[in-house]
Amino acid sequence: MLIGQDIAVLGAGVAGLAVAQALALRGASVTLYEQAPEITEVGAGLQISPNGACVLAALGLDAPSRAMRAKGVQLMDGYSGREVLRLDFTAARPDADFLLMHRADLIGLLEQGVRALDIEIRLSHKVERIHGDADGVKLQFADGSEARHAVVLGADGLHSKLRPMLNGPAKPFFTGQTAWRATVPALGHEEPIAMVHMAAGRHVVTYPLRDGSLINIVAVEERSDWVEEGWHHAGDPAELMRNFANFGPGVKGLLSRVEEVSRWGLFRHPVALRWHSERTALLGDAAHPTLPFLAQGANMALEDAWVLADCLATLPLDEALPAYQAIRRPRVTRVIEAANANAKNYHLKGPKRFLGHAALRLAGKVAPKQAVERFSWLYDFDVTKGSV
């Protein structure tokens, strides 16, 4: 179905680069548009779980060579530094790829795969208007130029031009939480474990990157004010320290080494009701922005990319795009609901916090593997083995 098919992809982030490669590997003629003058990502860390790693492997990309293999996740009492619960990946899933990866390294790996294929990359192309008809889709760019393609896929993120065309305007709502993101040099003895330090109304996630040379930090707090949505708004390291001053010495020691930090407001967007038209479709954050409390944003983008390419390769266009939405929407909705639940559980206060942590400690002693098994529906899901 895809041999020679003319498909444009908007956005060279994780979703866009992955779907461009997945389509080209199936024979499509792909043009990738990116509004920035180069494909780059300053970002910080992300976690690739097995459901995302299997897509990278199916694309022929060696993600483990660019990442650290995570041993597990530790939930910690943010005040005392005492362990509450450990999700041990090495015991529950010894052969699975749980990876700790710098976002720039993932983008670099995906770009390498795209450039190895016959994919036209057009940088500095900011889409202003999209017009679809029965025969194709016309793109109009900020510089006045135009292009026409048979199919257009919107992997253009939170500020997608395609999403409001399909769903109308939508205003996200502020969650009452602000996040801080930074990296600091590692001291050299950190285990490859994602640690979640939980406190009342706040939590801090830390894990090593790049062979243990860096520590990734994401600190989230409940507060009534906010900054604009997006990762690249500069924050004040001194304010970060003040706002998390009641954490234990381990966390405060990390935060004291932060020299540059970004800060952004966390907004909740609804999962798009409509993901496609006759010749267009959304994927990744353009379809379902995800809060960072289950580490699944990049993984869902990778899953979307594979399933969308698979649908287009095996079904006629008028069946492929509806099938893609039918397959993906229920799963991403479940993932987002689970992430939202984590946000609440990390920030428990008063008696609920004491009882919740006690229950988790007991569960960890009685059934230590069960903490990972609870998420088998997420981690063990392999879109590359499915059939449309």
Side-chain angles (χ1 to χ4, degrees):
M1 294 280 181
L2 278 180
I3 304 289
Q5 184 72 261
D6 172 31
I7 301 178
V9 176
L10 310 181
V14 173
L17 291 167
V19 78
Q21 187 171 349
L23 290 165
L25 288 170
R26 291 165 169 83
S29 175
V30 181
T31 305
L32 178 64
Y33 294 98
E34 168 55 42
Q35 67 179 2
E38 60 180 329
I39 297 175
T40 185
E41 176 61 69
V42 290
L46 49 76
Q47 298 177 58
I48 300 295
S49 48
N51 52 301
C54 66
V55 175
L56 294 171
L59 292 174
L61 304 176
D62 184 8
S65 70
R66 305 281 189 97
M68 297 183 69
R69 193 177 296 274
K71 292 182 178 180
V73 173
Q74 276 183 297
L75 303 183
M76 311 291 291
D77 183 300
Y79 304 124
S80 68
R82 180 185 172 197
E83 180 179 305
V84 176
L85 179 68
R86 182 183 178 112
L87 286 72
D88 190 341
F89 297 153
T90 57
R93 298 287 188 281
D95 300 320
D97 285 328
F98 289 89
L99 306 175
L100 305 174
M101 199 168 190
H102 198 289
R103 184 176 291 271
D105 296 338
L106 176 60
I107 292 294
L109 182 67
L110 288 164
E111 182 186 3
Q112 180 182 330
V114 164
R115 292 192 181 278
L117 300 167
D118 188 20
I119 294 173
E120 184 174 357
I121 301 173
R122 298 184 182 178
L123 303 174
S124 300
H125 275 68
K126 183 178 180 181
V127 176
E128 291 291 349
R129 292 180 179 82
I130 304 170
H131 302 278
D133 55 43
D135 300 319
V137 183
K138 183 171 73 172
L139 301 174
Q140 294 179 298
F141 301 98
D143 63 2
S145 63
E146 297 182 351
R148 189 173 180 84
H149 297 274
V151 176
V152 170
L153 306 179
D156 45 350
L158 287 173
H159 306 294
S160 171
K161 287 289 185 181
L162 182 57
R163 175 171 171 144
M165 281 186 55
L166 298 177
N167 295 273
K171 188 174 182 179
F173 70 89
F174 180 54
T175 63
Q177 298 178 93
T178 295
W180 305 73
R181 173 171 285 179
T183 59
V184 298
L187 298 178
H189 58 267
E190 295 86 356
E191 274 195 287
I193 291 173
M195 303 183 74
V196 183
H197 309 267
M198 304 177 292
R202 289 173 169 79
H203 77 276
V204 178
V205 179
T206 63
Y207 52 84
L209 296 170
R210 290 183 170 169
D211 294 324
S213 63
L214 292 175
I215 299 295
N216 188 67
I217 301 170
V218 178
V220 179
E221 59 176 323
E222 296 175 4
R223 54 191 298 169
S224 59
D225 64 333
W226 66 88
V227 292
E228 185 182 347
E229 193 170 23
W231 295 348
H232 305 301
H233 306 289
D236 180 1
E239 184 184 358
L240 171 66
M241 274 296 294
R242 288 195 302 270
N243 293 357
F244 291 83
N246 60 348
F247 275 68
V251 172
K252 287 196 293 186
L254 273 175
L255 299 184
S256 70
R257 288 154 46 204
V258 172
E259 296 182 356
E260 294 184 3
V261 63
S262 61
R263 175 185 168 219
W264 76 104
L266 298 181
F267 289 74
R268 189 174 299 170
H269 299 249
V271 177
L273 289 174
R274 189 173 178 222
W275 290 28
H276 68 89
S277 65
E278 291 183 0
R279 291 182 174 272
T280 67
L282 301 168
L283 69 158
D285 280 351
H288 49 79
T290 307
L291 292 175
F293 303 128
L294 197 58
Q296 285 298 306
N299 294 292
M300 290 300 103
L302 291 168
E303 287 188 11
D304 283 354
W306 186 272
V307 173
L308 179 51
D310 210 29
C311 287
L312 287 168
T314 55
L315 296 170
L317 183 60
D318 62 344
E319 297 178 23
L321 299 183
Y324 158 67
Q325 175 171 334
I327 292 168
R328 292 301 299 155
R329 197 174 188 280
R331 176 161 169 83
V332 300
T333 299
R334 184 180 182 185
V335 168
I336 288 169
E337 289 173 351
N340 294 342
N342 269 359
K344 296 177 182 177
N345 293 334
Y346 291 163
H347 292 186
L348 294 176
K349 302 174 184 178
K352 286 185 178 180
R353 184 172 185 275
F354 175 79
L355 293 173
H357 287 197
L360 288 174
R361 287 191 178 97
L362 179 61
K365 291 179 181 178
V366 174
K369 291 186 179 181
Q370 189 58 36
V372 178
E373 294 301 330
R374 281 185 58 233
F375 292 101
S376 60
W377 62 271
L378 176 60
Y379 298 144
D380 297 348
F381 192 80
D382 186 345
V383 294
T384 70
K385 294 181 179 178
S387 57
V388 177

